[in-house]
Amino acid sequence: MPKDWLEWHDLYNSEPKLQQRLEIVRQYIAYSLDNAPTGNIRIVSLCAGDGRDLLGTLPNHPRAKDVYARLVELNPQLVERGRANIESLGLTKQIEFINGDATSAANYLGAAPADIVIVCGIFGNLADENELNRLLENLSFLTKKGAFVLWTRGHTHGIAYSEIVRKYFREFGFEEIDFQLTATGDMGVGIHRYLGESIATPKQEQLFVFSGVPNKAR
Ligand SMILES: C[S@@+](CC[C@H](N)C(=O)[O-])C[C@H]1O[C@@H](n2cnc3c(N)ncnc32)[C@H](O)[C@@H]1O
């Protein structure tokens, strides 16, 4: 069991569920880049970990030169690792990795609304459906009209939590582009498009509460 979020990331080396999830998330990032409008592509990633989903996709993508991204992550060691990767990819002018609180709206000023919003590894770390609703509602601050939102949600005790997420996305004015379960069958990955209007100010400064812990991560 991982004792912190840095150790949790080591599970990518051994857990098929996480490896398959990463593969699908990268496919969805590539799809979003393929279908982004011409010109600059703004990306934000919440609770970004070490940024391996986006940083593993950009080097092979023809639209990489158009990307301006802000990744927000609390764990300083993961941020350090991500920044080193950004530097080695020569993307320091395009990607900022903020060591800060992803639940705070202030950390997206100047970066939101975005064309692509990455919300991976978060929904399973919210206290309940009210908190999920709060975050989905606040996505209208982070996303442009027509933006892509990429998300993941693990299943536990045989409960298909990703179905609940899909239902709420529909209710909040998102169109589902695609949804896949990992081959392991217990992790949902989705890509939705926001059809509503973007709002300039969120209802609350705190967009959601991340209450999960790494040894129970879902
Ligand atoms: C389940 S991991 C997911 C990481 C990454 N998105 C991925 O899919 O590989 C959750 C991440 O959220 C980070 N985190 C937890 N609370 C946070 C907060 N308030 N602000 C920013 N990051 C936070 C943790 O440090 C951890 O890296």
Side-chain angles (χ1 to χ4, degrees):
M1 283 292 167
K3 69 171 182 325
D4 58 26
W5 290 113
L6 181 69
E7 253 185 44
W8 179 87
H9 279 70
D10 291 342
L11 297 174
Y12 273 112
N13 300 326
S14 56
E15 270 208 10
K17 173 174 74 173
L18 276 185
Q19 292 164 350
Q20 292 162 14
R21 163 195 190 276
L22 178 62
E23 191 59 35
I24 301 168
V25 171
R26 285 178 174 165
Q27 279 171 23
Y28 286 168
I29 293 173
Y31 173 92
S32 308
L33 292 168
D34 290 341
N35 290 282
T38 50
N40 291 345
I41 305 172
R42 281 181 183 269
I43 302 179
V44 294
S45 179
L46 291 64
C47 300
D50 59 9
R52 68 181 66 202
D53 41 19
L54 180 63
L55 300 178
T57 311
L58 288 180
N60 302 317
H61 202 283
R63 297 290 310 272
K65 59 184 181 337
D66 297 327
V67 164
Y68 287 89
R70 182 176 299 171
L71 285 65
V72 187
E73 165 59 45
L74 212 49
N75 181 299
Q77 290 151 301
L78 289 167
V79 173
E80 201 178 310
R81 192 196 281 173
R83 283 181 183 152
N85 199 2
I86 290 167
E87 189 146 354
S88 70
L89 295 171
L91 291 169
T92 47
K93 292 202 168 71
Q94 294 169 248
I95 305 187
E96 34 174 2
F97 216 132
I98 293 197
N99 187 195
D101 184 0
T103 74
S104 164
N107 279 326
Y108 302 95
L109 293 180
D115 301 284
I116 302 172
V117 177
I118 304 173
V119 196
C120 293
I122 297 183
F123 292 159
N125 290 297
L126 305 175
D128 53 30
E129 288 183 29
N130 290 333
E131 204 53 43
L132 174 63
N133 275 267
R134 172 172 159 186
L135 173 51
L136 292 184
E137 188 172 25
N138 283 322
L139 284 179
S140 57
F141 162 69
L142 296 175
T143 53
K144 287 183 190 169
K145 185 173 188 164
F148 296 103
V149 177
L150 282 57
W151 58 273
T152 63
R153 178 62 164 107
H155 298 178
T156 40
H157 310 304
I159 301 170
Y161 287 107
S162 59
E163 291 305 317
I164 298 170
V165 174
R166 294 170 84 187
K167 172 174 86 83
Y168 282 122
F169 264 116
R170 276 195 295 277
E171 289 176 11
F172 277 89
F174 290 81
E175 171 195 21
E176 186 170 285
I177 304 294
D178 195 37
F179 170 81
Q180 292 182 50
L181 274 183
T182 54
T184 57
D186 54 355
M187 175 64 72
V189 188
I191 175 168
H192 278 74
R193 189 163 212 168
Y194 183 55
L195 303 178
E197 297 296 329
S198 184
I199 57 164
T201 318
K203 283 199 175 148
Q204 301 135 328
E205 212 292 309
Q206 186 166 27
L207 304 174
F208 60 101
V209 174
F210 186 107
S211 50
V213 287
N215 62 1
K216 292 206 181 101
R218 284 159 286 159

